[in-house]
Amino acid sequence: MKYLIAGIAITSQSKYADRWTNMDEILKQNSMEVKPCDRHDIPRHDLKRVQQHCIQCGVCMGNYFCSKCKFFDDDVSKNQFHCDECGICRVGGEENFFHCNKCGCCYSTLLKDSHICVEKAMHHNCPVCFEFLFDTMKGITVFPCGHTIHLECVKEMERHFQYSCPVCSKSYCDMSRVWEKLDQEVASIPMPEIYRNKMVWILCNDCGETSEVNFHIVAHKCLKCKSYNTRQTQGGPSSCSSRIAEMVR
């Protein structure tokens, strides 16, 4: 078992272990509920000098060592690397990532020429679980719209048949088969005579176009991109998102 205390990796089986008889108790003393002056943690970025090897006995504190972050880790299989622009150490191998200056974060090289830049894209909380994304240890995915979110949160959304970005409401996957089903359902349900000529204005969440279309109780189709991911802006009941979820099922 290893613990990172004040920037030093301590192994419970090493000669240093007898200094810490109860690691759980020490970790409790580092709780946010404890006053800062009473905690046992030292903010590692405030340390002036940290070395990978002890100058007295030569013991290695960690196989991976970052002098900028004052960070140690023995598990080098994570392919840690330091990003100067991010100011933190990341995992996954430096050759597999690039830093986007506009987005202000590191992305996979697979997205280098294809992602949409969103300023400080990861300097905010996940829109689903509200955990801060920039330094999260969980997997992150980037939607076609450029917004970022935890991968596990995307999977949770899909379990609830939600396929649009929770930030901007754009569809993040191919919904063409769902739109075809909605075409069929709209065609199979004629509106009563009183609503047959009723017109409403809609805003398309996918392309941003506004259109005036015939009112229908099921859904409203964008005249430009043919998406049903729309919201009604004038003229009656609003969104058809719940109906889209039913069609996906």
Side-chain angles (χ1 to χ4, degrees):
M1 176 77 69
K2 290 193 173 182
Y3 300 88
L4 189 64
I5 303 295
I8 300 175
I10 298 175
T11 306
S12 58
Q13 296 177 348
S14 72
K15 61 182 179 181
Y16 303 102
D18 56 359
R19 299 180 186 179
W20 313 99
T21 58
N22 192 335
M23 296 305 298
D24 289 335
E25 191 63 32
I26 291 173
L27 294 175
K28 289 179 182 178
Q29 292 172 341
N30 291 324
S31 168
M32 293 298 291
E33 298 176 358
V34 178
K35 293 180 180 180
C37 59
D38 295 331
R39 294 176 197 163
H40 284 242
D41 266 346
I42 298 176
R44 55 189 170 89
H45 292 94
D46 294 343
L47 298 177
K48 301 301 181 183
R49 183 183 178 188
V50 179
Q51 295 182 205
Q52 186 174 13
H53 297 86
C54 175
I55 60 175
Q56 296 295 327
C57 65
V59 68
C60 179
M61 302 297 182
N63 292 326
Y64 173 81
F65 170 64
C66 177
S67 60
K68 296 178 181 178
C69 292
K70 285 86 173 179
F71 175 73
F72 299 93
D73 196 344
D74 273 344
D75 184 7
V76 294
S77 66
K78 293 182 284 188
N79 296 319
Q80 302 93 328
F81 66 96
H82 181 85
C83 175
D84 287 327
E85 289 83 0
C86 286
I88 60 174
C89 288
R90 297 196 178 278
V91 298
E94 188 172 7
E95 70 280 3
N96 298 318
F97 294 87
F98 75 99
H99 184 88
C100 177
N101 291 322
K102 185 172 182 180
C103 294
C105 52
C106 289
Y107 283 155
S108 167
T109 52
L110 299 174
L111 299 174
K112 191 168 186 178
D113 299 317
S114 60
H115 78 286
I116 295 177
C117 286
V118 174
E119 189 172 357
K120 294 185 176 181
M122 287 190 357
H123 293 255
H124 60 81
N125 296 337
C126 172
V128 174
C129 69
F130 302 110
E131 178 185 336
F132 192 59
L133 289 172
F134 183 70
D135 55 2
T136 182
M137 296 297 292
K138 300 175 183 176
I140 293 176
T141 189
V142 184
F143 284 151
C145 57
H147 294 119
T148 52
I149 186 174
H150 284 130
L151 185 59
E152 63 182 39
C153 291
V154 175
K155 294 178 179 178
E156 181 65 23
M157 287 171 55
E158 291 177 349
R159 283 193 286 269
H160 292 83
F161 307 102
Q162 298 296 321
Y163 298 93
S164 60
C165 172
V167 178
C168 66
S169 298
K170 291 182 183 294
S171 302
Y172 63 78
C173 57
D174 183 9
M175 299 290 287
S176 57
R177 293 179 63 184
V178 179
W179 303 159
E180 289 175 3
K181 290 182 179 179
L182 281 170
D183 277 337
Q184 296 170 7
E185 184 163 356
V186 168
S188 66
I189 304 177
M191 292 298 293
E193 185 69 31
I194 190 174
Y195 292 113
R196 197 157 296 172
N197 296 318
K198 180 178 174 61
M199 305 295 290
V200 293
W201 284 93
I202 61 170
L203 171 66
C204 180
N205 294 321
D206 287 338
C207 71
E209 188 78 7
T210 56
S211 309
E212 189 179 23
V213 299
N214 286 101
F215 171 76
H216 201 283
I217 195 64
V218 174
H220 299 118
K221 186 175 185 177
C222 174
L223 298 180
K224 181 180 180 181
C225 69
K226 313 305 180 184
S227 167
Y228 277 100
N229 182 15
T230 62
R231 63 183 70 186
Q232 193 171 311
T233 58
Q234 297 178 33
S238 53
S239 174
C240 67
S241 57
S242 60
R243 191 59 183 165
I244 292 175
E246 292 177 12
M247 295 301 295
V248 172
R249 296 179 198 183

